[in-house]
C-alpha cells in the first residue's frame, strides 16, 4: 500500500531537496549574522539544523551511495536517520539551555540584545 504523500515525495528530484536545504541553511546563516535579538538568532540556528536534517533524510531516502553494496547502503540510510534524531536532541538541548540563559539575562537587565551580551565576559 502506497500513501499519496509517499508517491508525491518520490516524484520530486533529489536536487530539489538539496537545493531547499542549501537555501534554508543560507537563510539561517544570514539570520544569525544579521539579527540582534537572541530569540531570532535561536530560530535561525534551528532553521540551519533543520536544513541539515533535510539533507540527511534526503540522502537516507534516495540512497545516493555510489560504490556501496545493498547492505552497506541500508546501514548508511539508517545512520542518516539516526543522525537526524541526534541533531533534533541537540537542538532541543540548545534551545532549553539558551532560552534559560536569555530569560536570566532579561530578568537581570530588562533588555536582551546580542551586542549587550558581550559585556558578560567580565
Amino acid at each position: 500500500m502506497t500513501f499519496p504523500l509517499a508517491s508525491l515525495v518520490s516524484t520530486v528530484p533529489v536536487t530539489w531537496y538539496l537545493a531547499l536545504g542549501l537555501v534554508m541553511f543560507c537563510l539561517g546563516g544570514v539570520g544569525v549574522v544579521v539579527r540582534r535579538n537572541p530569540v531570532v538568532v535561536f530560530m535561525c540556528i534551528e532553521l540551519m539544523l533543520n536544513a541539515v536534517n533535510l539533507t540527511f533524510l534526503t540522502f537516507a531516502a534516495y540512497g545516493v551511495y555510489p560504490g556501496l553494496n545493498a547492505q552497506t547502503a541500508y546501514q548508511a540510510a539508517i545512520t542518516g536517520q539516526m543522525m537526524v534524531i541526534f541533531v533534533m536532541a541537540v537542538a532541543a538541548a540548545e534551545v532549553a539551555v539558551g532560552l534559560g540563559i536569555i530569560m536570566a539575562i532579561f530578568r537581570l537587565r530588562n533588555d536582551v540584545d546580542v551586542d549587550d551580551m558581550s559585556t558578560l565576559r567580565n
Side-chain angles (χ1 to χ4, degrees):
M1 178 178 184
T2 59
F3 296 103
L5 183 61
S7 64
L8 177 67
V9 169
S10 64
T11 58
V12 178
V14 67
T15 54
W16 289 21
Y17 288 111
L18 296 177
L20 178 63
L22 178 67
V23 168
M24 287 171 55
F25 193 85
C26 290
L27 286 175
V30 168
V32 167
V33 172
V34 171
R35 302 299 295 210
R36 296 288 176 233
N37 189 343
V39 176
V40 176
V41 170
F42 272 125
M43 291 190 318
C44 291
I45 291 172
E46 291 293 323
L47 186 64
M48 293 171 68
L49 291 174
N50 284 327
V52 171
N53 284 341
L54 178 65
T55 305
F56 275 135
L57 287 178
T58 300
F59 283 121
Y62 280 86
V64 185
Y65 310 109
L68 296 181
N69 62 14
Q71 184 177 3
T72 308
Y74 177 76
Q75 290 173 348
I78 294 297
T79 303
Q81 293 173 3
M82 289 173 48
M83 288 302 294
V84 168
I85 292 172
F86 179 72
V87 168
M88 290 172 69
V90 168
E94 171 247 339
V95 167
V97 172
L99 287 179
I101 292 171
I102 290 171
M103 291 295 291
I105 291 171
F106 183 75
R107 286 182 183 171
L108 184 68
R109 307 175 96 192
N110 286 334
D111 185 27
V112 178
D113 191 14
V114 174
D115 293 333
D116 293 339
M117 289 186 187
S118 65
T119 60
L120 297 175
R121 291 183 187 158
N122 298 326

